[in-house]
Amino acid sequence: MENEEGMNHLWIQLLHDEKAQSQKSEIQIQLPKGISRSNNLNGFVENERGHIVVDDHDQDVIIEIFTQDAIQCGEMTIVVSLLTPETTVSSEISIQVVEEEEMDRVEIDEQVVERIKELSNAAPPYDAGTDIVSIRPRILEKRDNEFSYLEKKYRVDY
């Protein structure tokens, strides 16, 4: 992930025990300092604690993570926790934050790109009667550089 004005996606896949009783769970995401996130792209409810509420039939959650200001480069850890009434399961995800010049060495997971496209195509039409949760808008500056082809190829417009 690029250290300044970088963007990536976090894909959380949920595996449920078929024998367990149906219940609502919450997903808590703890991000390193300087990395922010948008609301989940699946449209699931997010409660006042910022946890994503999921049911047993939900299979995955995708979240856009980003940096707005320059942050320190290096390996960072995102902690994702699944909170149920009985237990908490946590997983640590390492991400590498790099300078813009090093982005050519980053591998792009085509499976994640395809899943994001599926979600954007399946988005329900806007209903003016529903409440919209707003987040601080990001200011994006259009620039041409040696990696512009990646943005053109993988950008998903909502």
Side-chain angles (χ1 to χ4, degrees), residues 37-39 66 133-138:
R37 75 171 182 93
S38 64
N39 289 335
F66 56 90
V133 177
S134 68
I135 58 173
R136 184 177 140 206
R138 296 185 330 179

Side-chain angles (χ1 to χ4, degrees), residues 46-78:
E46 297 196 28
N47 62 25
E48 63 280 352
R49 295 182 304 275
H51 296 179
I52 302 165
V53 180
V54 293
D55 288 323
D56 279 344
H57 65 276
D58 297 326
Q59 299 297 311
D60 64 359
V61 177
I62 296 185
I63 295 145
E64 181 180 297
I65 58 175
F66 56 90
T67 59
Q68 288 186 309
D69 301 315
I71 62 173
Q72 186 173 354
C73 292
E75 188 170 312
M76 296 189 177
T77 303
I78 298 172

Side-chain angles (χ1 to χ4, degrees), residues 128-147:
T130 60
D131 292 334
I132 304 294
V133 177
S134 68
I135 58 173
R136 184 177 140 206
R138 296 185 330 179
I139 299 170
L140 299 177
E141 180 181 321
K142 188 172 182 174
R143 297 184 247 174
D144 284 330
N145 63 36
E146 63 182 308
F147 302 109

Side-chain angles (χ1 to χ4, degrees), residues 11-14 42 44 54 58-62 115 119:
W11 185 9
I12 303 166
Q13 294 178 303
L14 305 170
N42 303 71
F44 298 136
V54 293
D58 297 326
Q59 299 297 311
D60 64 359
V61 177
I62 296 185
R115 181 64 180 122
L119 282 176

